[in-house]
Amino acid sequence: RTFTHWSHVVALIFSKFTHCFGLNNLCDILGQFSGPLSTIRGAVPPRRNTLSHANRERPAAIAQWLFYEVLDHLRSISSGFGVRKYPGRLKGLKGAIHLMDSTVIELVANCMPWGSHRRRKAAVKCHTRLNFQSLLPGYVVVDVAREHDNLRARELCAGLKSGEIVVMDRGYVDFEHFKDLSARGVVWVTRAKEGMKYDLLDSKPLDEGAKVLVNEWIVLGNGCQARRIVAMVEVDGEEREMVFLTNQLEWASATILSLYKARWEIEMFFKELKQTCKLCDLMSYSANGIRWEVWTALLVQL
């Protein structure tokens, strides 16, 4: 009761800035500097059991709400906050571009059986929809890693509007979801899974200058029309053949390839969270506490 929400948030933010490696480490440091800490709107240092209980019992939705409130505040005082121009071939696109992917955060299996992922392993998965223009998350879901990615695809894309673009990894491939996105006017780009069945409608001319081998209009198994592009893509200095899917039938093949290449930004976003904000070193053993740490890391990154 005496450990306020404000003191809780300040303690977790401090842990991310200073890369604390445990509750004892965090509480000892804050206890030594209780005087300077009190000047930050009266924040008080926590005891280990108090902080552990707060992480476990206080709703993590508080940290989620705080993240979006801070983001709205920054945008209100600076209209151009986080806004940048699309690079390269994507300059001419008017619709918002969203990047969708997930990252796995490993846990200690014998301490967190609720997060059992594989044999003798535990993990949680952070599903993120990242705005490509601002490189800030538009929607985040933190849940157990044993769930397949495509089970969260609809939730992540629920807020997308007609004319917007979503680029996702092939882990989110769901033909029924693709059909719904097309009906809503949302452009989607992804990679095809191996052994995918489809019916060929038409073969289109290949773009000059692009390393495109196949450009086809197809019909997926559920009747959804799509475009299948096979191209040579450079990965780690070597060219590999990759198969892409999209419902955008008119744009140049090079534009579709550039859109999927932009998905690399979300990988860099995850790397920054895990390394700079130390999201890979968690202090909590509960699911709620881990959500607190994820949203605090996002707040620090913001």
Side-chain angles (χ1 to χ4, degrees):
R1 289 189 294 271
T2 58
F3 187 51
T4 63
H5 294 74
W6 172 247
S7 297
H8 189 188
V9 169
V10 170
L12 291 180
I13 290 177
F14 180 85
S15 72
K16 296 305 175 187
F17 274 126
T18 57
H19 299 171
C20 290
F21 51 83
L23 290 179
N24 285 331
N25 180 229
L26 173 61
C27 295
D28 289 346
I29 295 174
L30 291 179
Q32 291 176 5
F33 297 96
S34 58
L37 183 65
S38 65
T39 64
I40 309 176
R41 298 185 187 178
V44 297
R47 294 181 180 274
R48 183 185 184 282
N49 289 341
T50 303
L51 181 56
S52 177
H53 182 270
N55 286 339
R56 185 172 63 251
E57 299 297 334
R58 265 185 191 150
I62 297 171
Q64 180 179 352
W65 169 85
L66 180 61
F67 171 84
Y68 288 113
E69 285 295 311
V70 172
L71 178 57
D72 291 342
H73 170 69
L74 293 174
R75 286 174 172 168
S76 68
I77 62 177
S78 176
S79 59
F81 176 78
V83 177
R84 64 184 188 123
K85 295 182 179 180
Y86 293 143
R89 286 182 169 271
L90 306 181
K91 289 182 179 179
L93 300 182
K94 297 181 180 180
I97 301 175
H98 303 273
L99 314 176
M100 201 164 76
D101 203 355
S102 66
T103 186
V104 174
I105 304 171
E106 294 185 3
L107 307 177
V108 182
N110 58 355
C111 298
M112 309 178 191
W114 55 266
S116 59
H117 176 38
R118 295 175 182 171
R119 186 181 179 184
R120 298 180 181 177
K121 289 187 178 182
V124 294
K125 205 176 264 187
C126 181
H127 302 270
T128 305
R129 191 187 77 217
L130 192 72
N131 187 305
F132 181 57
Q133 188 174 36
S134 63
L135 297 182
L136 294 172
Y139 196 90
V140 177
V141 179
V142 183
D143 214 331
V144 293
R146 57 178 173 265
E147 285 188 346
H148 197 276
D149 286 352
N150 61 17
L151 297 178
R152 293 293 183 176
R154 291 179 180 272
E155 184 177 357
L156 288 170
C157 296
L160 299 184
K161 301 177 182 178
S162 177
E164 295 186 339
I165 305 164
V166 58
V167 184
M168 64 192 87
D169 196 13
R170 56 184 175 184
Y172 291 96
V173 169
D174 181 349
F175 291 168
E176 291 299 327
H177 181 220
F178 289 167
K179 190 174 183 179
D180 292 343
L181 288 177
S182 299
R184 288 162 48 192
V186 177
V187 178
W188 49 267
V189 178
T190 186
R191 283 179 60 192
K193 289 189 174 182
E194 296 181 3
M196 183 188 72
K197 295 182 179 180
Y198 61 91
D199 294 324
L200 178 63
L201 285 181
D202 193 11
S203 294
K204 296 298 180 179
L206 304 180
D207 297 341
E208 294 183 4
K211 298 180 180 181
V212 178
L213 308 179
V214 176
N215 185 13
E216 300 173 333
W217 287 9
I218 62 174
V219 177
L220 302 177
N222 63 343
C224 177
Q225 289 195 18
R227 181 178 175 189
R228 179 175 177 269
I229 299 174
V230 182
M232 299 300 295
V233 179
E234 185 175 339
V235 180
D236 297 331
E238 298 181 359
E239 287 193 345
R240 300 181 185 176
E241 184 179 302
M242 292 187 179
V243 183
F244 302 91
L245 289 179
T246 180
N247 62 339
Q248 174 50 252
L249 308 178
E250 304 298 331
W251 293 349
S253 301
T255 302
I256 303 300
L257 299 182
S258 296
L259 276 172
Y260 193 83
K261 184 179 180 181
R263 202 190 64 82
W264 181 250
E265 291 289 350
I266 197 170
E267 301 290 352
M268 300 301 294
F269 175 80
F270 288 143
K271 183 178 180 181
E272 182 177 6
L273 276 184
K274 286 185 173 182
Q275 295 185 2
T276 306
C277 300
K278 284 296 178 182
L279 193 56
C280 53
D281 296 332
L282 299 172
M283 298 184 295
S284 302
Y285 286 166
S286 64
N288 188 71
I290 288 174
R291 290 187 175 95
W292 264 103
E293 292 201 51
V294 170
W295 281 106
T296 303
L298 290 170
L299 183 60
V300 170
Q301 192 267 355
L302 174 64

